[in-house]
Amino acid sequence: RSQTYQRENRSQTYQRDGRSQTYQRENRSQTYQRENRSQTYQRENRSQYQRENRNTSLHSFERNDRRPLRNSNPLGSSTPTYAPTYAAAAAPPSAEKSKLDSILQESNKLLQSLTNNNGSSTLQLMDFDGVMTKLSRFNSEMESEANDNIDERVFRRGHGEKSSLKREAADKCIELLQALERNYDCILQHARPSDDVAPDDVLPETKHSQLMPSASSYNHVLHTLAHSGKGQRVAAEASATLDRMLDRCRKYLDMTKDPSLPLPPPEPTIITFNSTIHAIAKSGAGSSGYIAEEVFSKMEEWHSQCRVQNESDENRSFYKGVAPDARTLAVVLDAWANRDEVKGFAPERAESILNIAINRRRAYVKSVRGEDSDSSYLDSEVESDSFIDYDDDIIEEEYVDEELATGEDDVQQSAEAELKVKEEATDDSEAEYLQSKESCGPFLRPNTVAFNTCINTWATCGRGRMAAVRTQELLSQMEAISESGELDLPDTIDADGDIDSDESSFVDHSLRPNARSYSMVMKAWANVAKMERWSSEDAAEQCEDILNRMELRGASDVSVRPNLVAYVTTITAWSRTKAAHAPSRAEHILNRMIDLYYDGNDVELPSLEGDVEHAKHDAPFNAVITAHARSSDPNAAERAFAVLERLEVSPIAPTVFTYNAVMDVCAKHGDPERALQTLEKMQALSVTPDSTSYDTILNAFARNDKSGSADRAWELLRQWEEERAAGENDTFIPSQVGYSAVINGFAKASGTEYGGMSTVKKAKEVYDRLIQQKEIGVIYGESDPVANSCFLNCCANIYGTRAERKEALILAIKAFEEMKKNPSLHGEPGQFTFGTMMKACSKLSADAAERNRLLESLFQQSCNRGLLSKSTLGQFLRHTPDEFSTKVILQMGGSKREIPPEWHRNVPGKHKPTPTERDRY
């Protein structure tokens, strides 16, 4: 009985424990649900707050939401939230979304009709091509709209949606093409039944026996892909589309002769191949150059295969193949120039391809003329159909960031022209004529576009003076070839011995420098002036010499007449130098342009075609004002305002960029109040300020040395925030740059007599406000570490007692650790972050052992992240004993003479620790 009683007690205890645990789980579940509802409610409120305060000009609809704020103080400690609402109106779809939805509905109807397969529909190829044309134009218009949008912030707000819309349009276009391909596969399989086909591979019989894709169908898909975005996926899909087209053609050729076979599938035209390479080039994929060369090889392989097939069996000459033309060469070079990830190898590769093409063309022309030539270039045709040498891969690749603009408009115009000709063709003779125009003689002739692409690849590769010299050599080479005519065939001789057929109505085969050629060489020298500020006067001289040559030749040749880009580039080159006379030289060039292109009230400024889409006619004036901003002349502000007054009384109205440049002059020459007056003036003249305008004003006060300037900047920032929250100022958009400028102002003030811990606390207040704005979504975009570094610098510069320095050190360490824990809000620590943190530890720590421990930890972290810059290394070596620093470096596997490369793998070249720098320490 006792044992039974004990068992019953244990059973009851277990049940009670079970009920208790169940009750606890239920409580935790309810608590978790309440927390989730609370968090969801807070996110909805923050989202409503963000939408309410967003710039209404970004939307095509009016908001009538008048919900009261619970906390109307935008600078309060709590997050502003709205009163609860039970029915939130959904935002209507954008105009672009509505337009695409309409096209997608048409596409789905076609696909449904094709799937029904009941024989009652009257589907035609023009129905599919019509919808695919709309999708192609939709992507092209979306990209043009993005390129025309000057305000990058406004563009980024809708960038995600627009990218997804373009991707959706491309996917639907591919789906339509694949539906046509499947329908043709059904026609082909049932026209020629085979016992070798597995039961699972048997396709249903189609009622649309005349529906098959054309070359235009493939061209539409390729053009849509070219405007659908960037990435390896775009390049792979473009290459796969061409491969499917070629595979069907080869499969048809392999079939035995059978009169019951349907019409052959279309073969790729010259525009198909060029559009494929163009889409690959625009993708910016790291392997785009290699993929483009593979497509080029496929093009020549297909041309050779068709030639052999036609010679062996004239009755089965379905295809003729196409040879590369000048556009093909240009887009292959463009593919190397457009790689986003690895571009250091691009200049050598592009120039190698261009030189091989030039040498082979030169040898061919000499052989036609009966002159002595290097037969090795002609004999190579027997060994390989491609002029591309795949063994020339010995150059080490480097990382650079610049991008090269492509000539997609020409490709689109060519594709549209081809479609127009084919639509108007009514008999076989016109179609044969078009096919003959797509062929060219052996050894294609490089044109101006090919040379310009190669020049721009060097100009944007980031290699400074060496790259500028190469661009000038290529320009001289193009001038020499153009003047000698050594690549031109005689007018009465062509590749087949009759007439010169190396011309196409769709491709510009001219080979002579134009204004773009000279402008890109000037751009390379302007980059030298930017990289070598203290020894760049000769780079600006080179730019001006090229401009003089353009003016002289432009008197008789309109194609080399200096355009707006040429003048702006030259003025910019002078503004980047440290020469005392640089602003005067820049203003002299502006006066020359005015004398050449102004005639009373008639303005005939240089053309912008083919160079810069976003440049305005005020750009030369803005460049001169920028030159004054960078000069040390005490009268620079007055001279900048004089340029502004000249522009205001001219037929060209100043833009927001002009006023921003003038305000920057005031900021850099210590006159923030005049900068603020300029902002008020532009608002009175109905010139809408942008985010740069407000950031410039904040920077003007923050960098001023007068007492209270940083407080004035913080006061203005809070004022604009309040006006924005109240709906009184919809042009102000808070940015990380503005907050960083204010924090940097307090960093300058903290090291002065009127600084101290109070200044550090104000900087902390600004920094906390920045993080709060990011959390609620008012400030968006990728976080950068600048603001954090400015706050660390403010702590390091503190002018105060020992206790205040200790408190500042604690704040700095907390900010640094918070940055590492949450980089999405604070930004990833960079080389300057570690350098500034070392500065704070070395200045604020009063205990030597503590200081050495902190510096050792920071040194190890920077090495592990590959962020050991020469500044960070210098801080560590200067503020630690020699024995201690040597021991730390040796324990990590390095030495003071041999710093392992992986320690500075993520540091830009000019900031890497050099032997000279290490010896100095």
Side-chain angles (χ1 to χ4, degrees):
R1 285 197 299 271
S2 176
Q3 292 175 354
T4 302
Y5 179 73
Q6 291 176 1
R7 282 197 299 270
E8 290 176 353
N9 281 343
R10 284 197 298 269
S11 176
Q12 293 173 1
T13 302
Y14 178 79
Q15 291 176 1
R16 284 196 300 270
D17 292 342
R19 286 195 298 270
S20 176
Q21 293 174 0
T22 302
Y23 178 75
Q24 291 174 3
R25 284 196 297 270
E26 290 176 352
N27 279 346
R28 285 197 297 268
S29 177
Q30 293 174 0
T31 302
Y32 179 75
Q33 292 175 3
R34 285 196 298 270
E35 291 175 352
N36 277 348
R37 287 196 296 268
S38 177
Q39 293 174 0
T40 302
Y41 176 71
Q42 292 175 3
R43 285 196 296 270
E44 291 176 352
N45 283 340
R46 287 198 297 267
S47 178
Q48 293 166 1
Y49 173 78
Q50 176 183 356
R51 289 196 299 270
E52 184 71 19
N53 288 279
R54 186 173 294 168
N55 187 354
T56 56
S57 65
L58 303 176
H59 305 277
S60 58
F61 58 93
E62 295 292 332
R63 295 187 183 275
N64 297 317
D65 204 312
R66 293 294 182 269
R67 293 163 293 176
L69 275 172
R70 284 180 174 175
N71 177 13
S72 60
N73 180 14
L75 297 179
S77 58
S78 60
T79 303
T81 57
Y82 286 100
T85 178
Y86 297 98
S94 61
E96 293 86 357
K97 176 64 175 174
S98 301
K99 182 177 181 180
L100 179 60
D101 288 343
S102 175
I103 303 174
L104 294 180
Q105 289 179 2
E106 294 184 52
S107 305
N108 293 332
K109 289 180 181 178
L110 288 177
L111 294 172
Q112 185 63 34
S113 301
L114 187 60
T115 305
N116 289 338
N117 201 20
N118 53 18
S120 60
S121 64
T122 58
L123 288 179
Q124 297 182 7
L125 179 61
M126 66 175 61
D127 299 327
F128 282 82
D129 281 352
V131 175
M132 295 167 80
T133 301
K134 292 180 181 179
L135 291 170
S136 174
R137 289 176 178 171
F138 174 81
N139 273 11
S140 181
E141 291 171 359
M142 290 281 287
E143 185 163 326
S144 299
E145 179 183 350
N147 291 336
D148 292 339
N149 196 332
I150 299 175
D151 193 343
E152 186 180 356
R153 293 180 178 274
V154 175
F155 168 68
R156 281 205 303 264
R157 286 181 182 271
H159 178 66
E161 180 188 4
K162 292 180 180 179
S163 298
S164 62
L165 292 180
K166 292 192 294 182
R167 183 65 252 179
E168 189 176 358
D171 291 340
K172 183 59 67 174
C173 202
I174 294 174
E175 185 180 356
L176 291 170
L177 176 62
Q178 291 175 343
L180 291 174
E181 290 176 333
R182 284 194 300 270
N183 189 75
Y184 178 77
D185 291 342
C186 294
I187 298 172
L188 189 61
Q189 189 179 95
H190 289 277
R192 184 176 176 271
S194 175
D195 297 334
D196 299 335
V197 180
D200 295 338
D201 296 334
V202 175
L203 299 174
E205 186 174 358
T206 178
K207 301 297 183 181
H208 310 282
S209 57
Q210 301 298 323
L211 191 60
M212 57 182 290
S214 65
S216 300
S217 307
Y218 287 90
N219 294 342
H220 283 310
V221 170
L222 294 169
H223 185 264
T224 308
L225 280 172
H227 295 270
S228 65
K230 290 184 174 291
Q232 189 70 31
R233 177 183 175 184
V234 175
E237 288 179 341
S239 181
T241 301
L242 177 66
D243 288 342
R244 295 201 310 271
M245 193 177 190
L246 289 172
D247 289 344
R248 282 177 168 77
C249 294
R250 291 192 174 99
K251 181 180 178 181
Y252 194 89
L253 286 175
D254 293 339
M255 292 180 179
T256 59
K257 185 175 181 181
D258 189 344
S260 63
L261 288 177
L263 294 174
E267 71 168 320
T269 65
I270 186 66
I271 292 179
T272 308
F273 282 105
N274 289 350
S275 298
T276 302
I277 303 175
H278 176 65
I280 294 170
K282 290 206 65 179
S283 71
S287 59
S288 58
Y290 297 103
I291 300 176
E293 291 190 20
E294 291 176 1
V295 173
F296 187 94
S297 298
K298 293 175 185 177
M299 182 181 190
E300 294 199 319
E301 180 183 352
W302 173 246
H303 185 213
S304 176
Q305 182 179 352
C306 293
R307 185 174 55 193
V308 173
Q309 175 71 29
N310 295 338
E311 291 176 355
S312 60
D313 188 357
E314 295 182 356
N315 295 325
R316 291 182 54 76
S317 57
F318 303 114
Y319 305 118
K320 296 183 179 180
V322 289
D325 63 1
R327 167 65 66 183
T328 314
L329 175 63
V331 290
V332 169
L333 298 175
D334 206 20
W336 280 105
N338 272 320
R339 296 194 302 168
D340 286 344
E341 298 176 358
V342 183
K343 297 182 62 177
F345 178 59
E348 286 86 356
R349 188 64 172 173
E351 188 174 353
S352 174
I353 294 173
L354 179 62
N355 286 332
I356 293 174
I358 292 172
N359 292 333
R360 293 194 174 183
R361 177 70 179 189
R362 183 184 291 119
Y364 169 71
V365 171
K366 288 184 177 180
S367 67
V368 170
R369 293 176 176 175
E371 303 174 3
D372 293 335
S373 62
D374 186 355
S375 60
S376 62
Y377 291 105
L378 298 179
D379 295 339
S380 61
E381 182 189 16
V382 180
E383 301 173 0
S384 172
D385 289 326
S386 175
F387 63 73
I388 298 176
D389 183 5
Y390 287 97
D391 295 330
D392 190 22
D393 286 22
I394 59 175
I395 306 299
E396 182 180 359
E397 297 186 342
E398 300 175 5
Y399 290 87
V400 292
D401 300 326
E402 296 288 342
E403 284 191 352
L404 172 70
T406 57
E408 65 272 7
D409 294 338
D410 296 335
V411 176
Q412 180 181 1
Q413 293 171 2
S414 300
E416 292 177 351
E418 180 205 19
L419 297 179
K420 181 178 180 181
V421 172
K422 289 192 174 183
E423 290 172 357
E424 295 175 352
T426 56
D427 52 34
D428 295 338
S429 60
E430 292 184 355
E432 291 177 359
Y433 171 75
L434 177 62
Q435 183 69 21
S436 67
K437 293 297 289 182
E438 293 170 345
S439 301
C440 70
F443 306 124
L444 56 89
R445 177 176 178 269
N447 63 356
T448 304
V449 177
F451 267 93
N452 285 353
T453 304
C454 193
I455 292 174
N456 212 354
T457 308
W458 275 109
T460 58
C461 72
R463 299 196 198 175
R465 187 173 296 272
M466 185 270 285
V469 172
R470 291 300 303 131
T471 60
Q472 199 144 358
E473 291 175 353
L474 283 169
L475 178 62
S476 300
Q477 182 183 7
M478 180 162 55
E479 291 175 336
I481 293 176
S482 175
E483 294 173 0
S484 65
E486 56 185 294
L487 302 186
D488 299 331
L489 288 172
D491 295 337
T492 58
I493 300 178
D494 77 334
D496 298 323
D498 296 327
I499 60 173
D500 191 351
S501 62
D502 196 30
E503 299 294 324
S504 169
S505 58
F506 301 138
V507 180
D508 180 14
H509 288 268
S510 61
L511 179 54
R512 61 176 181 176
N514 56 18
R516 183 172 177 79
S517 310
Y518 290 99
S519 297
M520 287 186 295
V521 177
M522 297 166 66
K523 178 182 179 180
W525 283 110
N527 289 337
V528 175
K530 181 179 180 180
M531 298 173 67
E532 305 175 4
R533 295 292 299 274
W534 295 101
S535 59
S536 58
E537 188 172 346
D538 65 319
E541 293 282 1
Q542 290 282 359
C543 285
E544 190 167 352
D545 289 343
I546 296 173
L547 180 65
N548 295 336
R549 289 166 58 188
M550 293 179 70
E551 289 178 342
L552 291 175
R553 297 189 179 188
S556 57
D557 186 357
V558 179
S559 65
V560 296
R561 186 185 186 192
N563 55 16
L564 196 64
V565 175
Y567 285 102
V568 174
T569 303
T570 307
I571 295 173
T572 302
W574 275 113
S575 68
R576 289 173 174 173
T577 67
K578 291 292 186 179
H581 61 280
S584 300
R585 295 290 290 271
E587 198 159 350
H588 172 69
I589 295 170
L590 174 64
N591 293 334
R592 280 167 49 186
M593 188 197 75
I594 293 174
D595 293 339
L596 287 173
Y597 293 102
Y598 278 75
D599 183 15
N601 293 327
D602 296 331
V603 182
E604 296 182 359
L605 284 176
S607 173
L608 296 176
E609 182 179 358
D611 287 281
V612 175
E613 299 177 5
H614 311 315
K616 301 296 182 181
H617 284 160
D618 64 324
F621 297 86
N622 302 343
V624 172
I625 295 174
T626 302
H628 287 301
R630 293 172 176 169
S631 73
S632 58
D633 184 0
N635 298 320
E638 297 298 333
R639 297 182 65 178
F641 275 96
V643 176
L644 174 62
E645 292 174 359
R646 292 175 62 187
L647 188 58
E648 288 176 334
V649 299
S650 72
I652 303 173
T655 64
V656 61
F657 304 106
T658 311
Y659 288 104
N660 288 349
V662 172
M663 289 187 289
D664 188 49
V665 176
C666 298
K668 292 179 177 178
H669 287 81
D671 197 350
E673 291 295 342
R674 194 171 186 181
L676 184 59
Q677 294 173 4
T678 304
L679 176 67
E680 297 170 351
K681 176 182 179 181
M682 64 183 293
Q683 291 174 320
L685 295 175
S686 299
V687 179
T688 304
D690 60 7
S691 58
T692 304
S693 307
Y694 293 99
D695 292 342
T696 304
I697 297 297
L698 295 175
N699 183 54
F701 281 97
R703 65 183 295 159
N704 194 266
D705 295 331
K706 293 182 180 179
S707 174
S709 293
D711 294 288
R712 175 62 171 150
W714 180 217
E715 178 186 348
L716 285 172
L717 180 56
R718 286 182 295 182
Q719 174 187 334
W720 293 332
E721 280 186 339
E722 293 171 356
E723 291 175 353
R724 182 175 182 271
E728 300 174 0
N729 187 353
D730 59 354
T731 62
F732 172 68
I733 302 177
S735 70
Q736 299 182 77
V737 177
Y739 285 90
S740 299
V742 176
I743 298 172
N744 191 48
F746 284 120
K748 292 185 63 177
S750 66
T752 61
E753 296 178 356
Y754 48 85
M757 198 59 209
S758 61
T759 304
V760 175
K761 290 181 178 179
K762 291 177 183 178
K764 184 69 167 60
E765 181 184 359
V766 180
Y767 186 71
D768 290 342
R769 178 59 181 164
L770 169 62
I771 300 304
Q772 181 186 9
Q773 294 283 57
K774 289 183 179 180
E775 289 177 334
I776 64 178
V778 175
I779 295 179
Y780 50 89
E782 184 178 356
S783 298
D784 61 60
V786 176
N788 187 280
S789 299
C790 291
F791 176 69
L792 297 180
N793 193 40
C794 182
C795 296
N797 292 340
I798 185 172
Y799 183 88
T801 64
R802 181 173 180 175
E804 290 178 331
R805 290 198 298 271
K806 183 177 181 179
E807 184 179 358
L809 177 61
I810 295 175
L811 288 176
I813 293 175
K814 287 182 178 179
F816 180 71
E817 293 299 325
E818 187 65 28
M819 183 184 197
K820 293 191 296 181
K821 292 179 182 178
N822 196 351
S824 61
L825 279 177
H826 302 269
E828 286 283 352
Q831 54 174 329
F832 298 110
T833 308
F834 283 100
T836 309
M837 190 60 200
M838 278 194 172
K839 174 185 175 183
C841 293
S842 61
K843 293 184 65 175
L844 301 178
S845 179
D847 182 75
E850 179 189 54
R851 180 169 59 251
N852 292 342
R853 178 177 55 81
L854 292 173
L855 293 178
E856 178 185 3
S857 175
L858 290 169
F859 180 80
Q860 292 174 344
Q861 292 181 56
S862 65
C863 293
N864 293 334
R865 292 174 178 260
L867 294 171
L868 181 65
S869 64
K870 59 184 178 182
S871 174
T872 306
L873 177 62
Q875 292 277 356
F876 180 67
L877 296 179
R878 280 197 300 268
H879 300 292
T880 56
D882 290 342
E883 298 83 359
F884 180 82
S885 61
T886 302
K887 179 181 177 181
V888 171
I889 294 176
L890 289 176
Q891 287 177 346
M892 294 186 64
S895 67
K896 292 185 178 180
R897 293 181 177 273
E898 296 294 336
I899 298 296
E902 60 269 18
W903 291 5
H904 51 75
R905 61 185 181 276
N906 297 323
V907 178
K910 63 180 181 179
H911 296 293
K912 291 182 181 293
T914 61
T916 303
E917 197 70 26
R918 290 195 294 271
D919 293 342
R920 186 159 63 90
Y921 295 122

